[in-house]
Amino acid sequence: MVALRERWNELLPGSTPLADELVARYVERTRRAYRDQYLDIVLTALDQLIQLSTDPTSVRLAAWFHRAVHEPGGGPAEDAESSARLAERTLPTYGVDPIRIAEVARLIRLTGELTTPPTDSYAPPRRDANGDVLLDAVNAVLAAAPVRYAAHASEVRRDAGDRATAVERRYDEVSHLLDGHLYRTQLARQRMGTAARANLEAELAGLDKELPAPWRGWQQAALAATSTFGAIAAALVSIAASGASWQVPTIEPEPGWPPVVLAAVAFFSAPLLFRSARSSSQRARLISGAVVAVAVTGLLVAWARVPVTNPAVGVGLRVPLMISALLLLLTAGTAALAASLLRTRTARFLPSRNLGQQLAWLAVPGVIALALLLIVQPLARGYVLSSNERVEGAREPAGERPQSALDGGVAWISRTLSGAGAEEAVGTKYGIAIPRQTGVVEMLDAATGELRWRYSRSDSDEKPDIVATDNGDYVLAEFADVGYVLLDADTGKRKAAWPGDTRQHSIQQADPLLTGEEVARGSDKLHGVDPDGTTRWTFEPGRCTDIGAVATTNTVVAFLGHNCGDEPDEMAGLDLVSGKKLWTKAPTDMFRRPIVVGGLVVVAEPGGDSDVPAALVGIEPRTGETKWRWPVPRDWSCRTLLNSAGRFLVVVDCPGSQPSRTIVTAIDAVTGQTAWQTTAPVSARARVTVTSDGRVVSLARGSDGCWANVISKTGFRQVRLPTAISCSRDAVAIGNLVLTSGPGSVIALR
């Protein structure tokens, strides 16, 4: 106290009562922090810095007053404001100039508003020499002797009240101080900076042990996990890339070492990046930076060597897989580098293990796995699909499909279509789709035979299998090694591509789309599928059950054959949209050859060992009710062909034991009654096609050329066809238009 009084007497002679009052405030018993020892440290530091100020007296007075008023638990701002008002109230009594009093009050208030400089270098637009000196002196307590600083820190925490709250608040305050420069003047930084930072770090380490830390450090753990598992994922994707081609078709043997080398680099990088992410050394940052450099270089090389696609050469799956692996490696290296830099500042205050870090290590591999499945794999597949496809042709409005009168003339002849014929033609709402050997689907105008559009793939040189779906709005094409591609029948543009696992499903019916899946031998599933391959529902009747199915516009009728035990075969009705079971029934014998006619499902009732059914049965699909039963004549002995022609079921067979004759019967699907029947001198072994108006057409070679046999309600007739038509290939009816094949062309009959 005596030393403090002497400092005051030198400052403002003749003001003993004021000195006594101020000293009494700093030593009063109710005060638990910022006592006389604290003031002595501030004044001692001020003596070393005072030469930097422009008004030493004002600075010293502000130092004496800045904590003169202090309430337990009070913050710097409240103390500074109350102390400034005390100075403004008392100093005039002792003859201090008003201008100096204003400066003293301003400086006191600074101690509550700005106690530490910003994190970047201190360079305010206007220098405040007095403020800088005072604030550096106030912060001189941070550089006190370790024992003295520990006592001061303990007093501050005790003064704050509740221990847990005080520790948390003090932890935040010390962390904030360490993020800054602590001192504003260069002289203070040189003399006190090192000691102050050591004291603060020691206090922060002690506070860290007292604080519960269930989540602290999860960011670094997540970065370390990302660096480790990212490198492992890069190695796995590289291994997958080694089994794929860089370009398709492969013109010359491709080097297999790039993905193997990348896999090895990624695999051995994983432990190195793990250690680097947990270290703050310069070596750790160099290792992480080297991995980043390798990944960036690899990306540039891979991008430069991407094959240029053309109709004969496409991009292989190795391209996106290698790029994905390099991106994963780049992510791993960047995460390790970020973790190392972050650890430099916070490592000493992180708990070794807690819940947040454990959850981060568990969550990151799951996130990476999901990213591989939901992002990398779809993007890689999408890149290959889009890079290797082309749509060509002028998209003129589709012409109306004509009707073949079958008078021996030709309506149109397509241009040359190598490896394609009429037997594979598919009718759509916008024309006639034709598959070709070179991985091509072409859409011909039904009115003229002109090309409307051509869809081709560079990564497939085999003929795709095509079907029309969604009422002829789309063409679903299966390309070898690619999968199912959904094409807009009007424009030829790809609308969707079925995922790889859907390719394991066999198409039970194309419109509406049903697929069957063999889970195990004799155990099947049935899927209701949208045109883009999305499964709406799955029907799984159980083990040892074969499934066959047909669908109407709103109902699926499934035929379930049980292969184990004595359980009888069943039929089941399912809602087409939801897959909900509507009904089940057990027929005496399993029906065969189901076909949809006029909204009913018509099935063949088995006739023992013969291929000729005993009867044809019309079933109402929503209820399973039998609407009618049409007995098949017992003398029919050939294959019994069932075809749909509008509301009629057209049945083709041979009467008696006369395979050289064909009998055609049209059955009204509504009533189950025979509408008409015609017998013709045509071999029952001839392949036939049925138009939508019920005409049965087949081709036959005569001694003088190719003839068309036409069996209809009005009788039988033969039509001589032009010489360009190949009789050895089947005719196909698309609606009422009959198509035949020529040498490398499709021919529509007039």
Side-chain angles (χ1 to χ4, degrees):
M1 289 181 58
V2 175
L4 287 177
R5 289 289 300 274
E6 291 178 354
R7 291 176 185 274
W8 177 265
N9 291 334
E10 297 174 0
L11 175 63
L12 193 62
S15 57
T16 301
L18 179 57
D20 292 340
E21 180 184 354
L22 291 175
V23 172
R25 286 179 177 273
Y26 280 102
V27 298
E28 63 184 4
R29 292 184 178 182
T30 58
R31 183 179 288 229
R32 290 177 290 189
Y34 306 106
R35 297 173 58 80
D36 54 334
Q37 297 92 337
Y38 164 78
L39 180 59
D40 184 63
I41 292 173
V42 173
L43 295 177
T44 301
L46 192 60
D47 290 339
Q48 301 175 14
L49 303 173
I50 198 66
Q51 69 270 24
L52 302 178
S53 66
T54 59
D55 186 357
T57 301
S58 296
V59 174
R60 291 184 186 276
L61 286 172
W64 271 91
F65 274 95
H66 84 282
R67 286 283 187 174
V69 179
H70 173 70
E71 295 295 333
E78 294 85 354
D79 288 354
E81 181 61 31
S82 299
S83 299
R85 291 178 180 177
L86 176 64
E88 291 171 335
R89 188 170 60 250
T90 58
L91 286 177
T93 306
Y94 296 94
V96 181
D97 186 86
I99 296 177
R100 175 161 287 167
I101 293 174
E103 175 66 2
V104 170
R106 183 188 74 83
L107 293 174
I108 293 171
R109 289 186 172 95
L110 280 181
T111 63
E113 298 174 357
L114 187 62
T115 59
T116 183
T119 55
D120 56 351
S121 60
Y122 181 63
R126 182 178 62 84
R127 299 294 298 183
D128 183 3
N130 293 335
D132 289 350
V133 169
L134 176 62
L135 292 174
D136 282 355
V138 168
N139 281 337
V141 70
L142 304 177
V147 175
R148 179 60 249 164
Y149 176 78
H152 168 75
S154 177
E155 291 171 354
V156 171
R157 293 196 299 273
R158 185 170 64 251
D159 183 66
D162 180 69
R163 179 177 178 79
T165 304
V167 170
E168 291 181 4
R169 188 168 70 180
R170 184 60 182 171
Y171 186 95
D172 293 337
E173 292 174 355
V174 174
S175 299
H176 178 67
L177 287 170
L178 282 171
D179 286 339
H181 292 290
L182 300 180
Y183 298 106
R184 288 162 171 73
T185 65
Q186 186 64 30
L187 182 59
R189 292 180 187 177
Q190 291 174 352
R191 293 183 176 182
M192 297 182 289
T194 302
R197 194 165 294 277
N199 284 334
L200 289 171
E201 290 180 349
E203 182 185 4
L204 194 63
L207 293 171
D208 185 77
K209 296 178 181 178
E210 299 184 42
L211 282 175
W215 299 104
R216 200 178 330 140
W218 70 266
Q219 300 95 329
Q220 280 192 289
L223 289 172
T226 300
S227 64
T228 305
F229 292 107
I232 294 174
L236 295 177
V237 174
S238 299
I239 293 172
S242 64
S245 298
W246 186 259
Q247 68 178 30
V248 288
T250 303
I251 300 174
E252 57 185 19
E254 296 178 345
W257 59 266
V260 175
V261 170
L262 180 57
V265 170
F267 181 78
F268 286 109
S269 295
L272 294 176
L273 292 176
F274 170 75
R275 297 188 64 179
S276 298
R278 296 169 60 86
S279 172
S280 59
S281 67
Q282 185 176 5
R283 180 182 179 183
R285 293 193 289 273
L286 287 175
I287 292 174
S288 303
V291 173
V292 170
V294 168
V296 171
T297 303
L299 282 170
L300 294 175
V301 172
W303 189 257
R305 292 179 58 83
V306 171
V308 178
T309 60
N310 56 57
V313 177
V315 173
L317 188 58
R318 181 182 290 186
V319 173
L321 289 179
M322 288 286 284
I323 292 176
S324 300
L326 289 165
L327 287 173
L328 287 168
L329 188 61
L330 176 61
T331 301
T334 303
L337 184 60
S340 180
L341 293 172
L342 183 62
R343 193 174 185 85
T344 302
R345 299 172 57 185
T346 62
R348 282 168 289 183
F349 315 113
L350 289 178
S352 58
R353 183 181 302 170
N354 61 14
L355 180 61
Q357 296 180 35
Q358 291 173 347
L359 289 178
W361 275 96
L362 291 174
V364 167
V367 171
I368 292 177
L370 288 176
L372 290 176
L373 292 175
L374 302 180
I375 299 177
V376 174
Q377 184 179 8
L379 285 178
R381 177 177 171 81
Y383 173 78
V384 172
L385 284 171
S386 59
S387 298
N388 293 324
E389 68 182 357
R390 286 170 183 77
V391 180
E392 307 166 271
R395 300 180 186 90
E396 299 294 334
E400 193 167 330
R401 185 188 303 161
Q403 176 174 337
S404 295
L406 298 177
D407 58 4
V410 171
W412 50 259
I413 301 176
S414 73
R415 62 179 184 78
T416 301
L417 299 171
S418 60
E423 64 270 19
E424 295 168 312
V426 172
T428 72
K429 189 182 294 185
Y430 302 99
I432 298 168
I434 306 288
R436 296 181 58 185
Q437 280 290 359
T438 53
V440 173
V441 178
E442 294 188 343
M443 182 65 70
L444 306 182
D445 190 288
T448 64
E450 296 295 325
L451 178 69
R452 294 197 65 238
W453 53 258
R454 176 193 294 111
Y455 177 89
S456 61
R457 298 204 59 84
S458 303
D459 51 1
S460 178
D461 56 1
E462 298 182 11
K463 182 183 293 186
D465 295 327
I466 63 172
V467 292
T469 189
D470 204 23
N471 295 319
D473 282 329
Y474 300 105
V475 176
L476 188 62
E478 181 185 11
F479 291 88
D481 300 325
V482 176
Y484 287 97
V485 177
L486 186 73
L487 305 177
D488 188 306
D490 186 26
T491 65
K493 293 182 178 180
R494 174 171 54 89
K495 294 297 183 181
W498 285 20
D501 57 350
T502 316
R503 293 190 61 210
Q504 307 303 322
H505 303 176
S506 60
I507 294 181
Q508 293 268 5
Q509 183 170 315
D511 197 9
L513 194 56
L514 300 176
T515 65
E517 178 187 6
E518 185 176 349
V519 181
R521 188 173 182 180
S523 298
D524 292 349
K525 291 182 180 180
L526 183 67
H527 303 277
V529 184
D530 290 331
D532 62 357
T534 303
T535 300
R536 293 193 311 276
W537 51 262
T538 298
F539 175 66
E540 186 174 8
R543 296 178 62 250
C544 300
T545 304
D546 296 326
I547 304 178
V550 293
T552 64
T553 55
N554 58 8
T555 309
V556 178
V557 177
F559 302 87
L560 314 178
H562 299 293
N563 302 318
C564 302
D566 299 328
E567 190 175 356
D569 295 336
E570 293 179 279
M571 292 173 57
L574 311 174
D575 184 81
L576 179 66
V577 176
S578 66
K580 179 182 178 181
K581 186 183 290 187
L582 303 175
W583 53 267
T584 57
K585 62 188 299 185
T588 305
D589 200 352
M590 178 55 69
F591 294 137
R592 297 179 296 174
R593 287 179 276 178
I595 184 173
V596 177
V597 185
L600 296 183
V601 175
V602 179
V603 294
E605 184 179 300
D609 296 334
S610 172
D611 288 337
V612 179
L616 302 178
V617 180
I619 299 173
E620 211 294 318
R622 293 300 288 183
T623 63
E625 175 188 358
T626 299
K627 302 294 290 184
W628 49 261
R629 184 177 183 275
W630 192 85
V632 175
R634 293 188 176 183
D635 62 342
W636 286 9
S637 59
C638 296
R639 51 180 184 160
T640 304
L641 301 180
L642 308 181
N643 297 272
S644 173
R647 59 175 286 186
F648 294 104
L649 172 68
V650 177
V651 185
V652 181
D653 210 318
C654 64
S657 57
Q658 304 179 51
S660 61
R661 298 178 65 80
T662 295
I663 184 169
V664 176
T665 306
I667 301 172
D668 190 321
V670 176
T671 63
Q673 300 297 316
T674 301
W676 55 266
Q677 191 173 73
T678 301
T679 302
V682 177
S683 172
R685 296 185 178 89
R687 294 183 178 274
V688 301
T689 185
V690 180
T691 62
S692 58
D693 60 1
R695 292 173 292 166
V696 178
V697 181
S698 62
L699 302 183
R701 182 177 297 280
S703 58
D704 53 352
C706 187
W707 293 77
N709 300 315
V710 184
I711 308 172
S712 64
K713 179 180 181 180
T714 58
F716 166 71
R717 62 191 178 95
Q718 285 187 309
V719 179
R720 172 81 179 271
L721 299 179
T723 57
I725 294 175
S726 174
C727 262
S728 60
R729 305 179 72 170
D730 299 335
V732 172
I734 296 179
N736 285 322
L737 178 64
V738 178
L739 303 178
T740 59
S741 301
S745 63
V746 174
I747 301 174
L749 300 182
R750 190 175 59 205

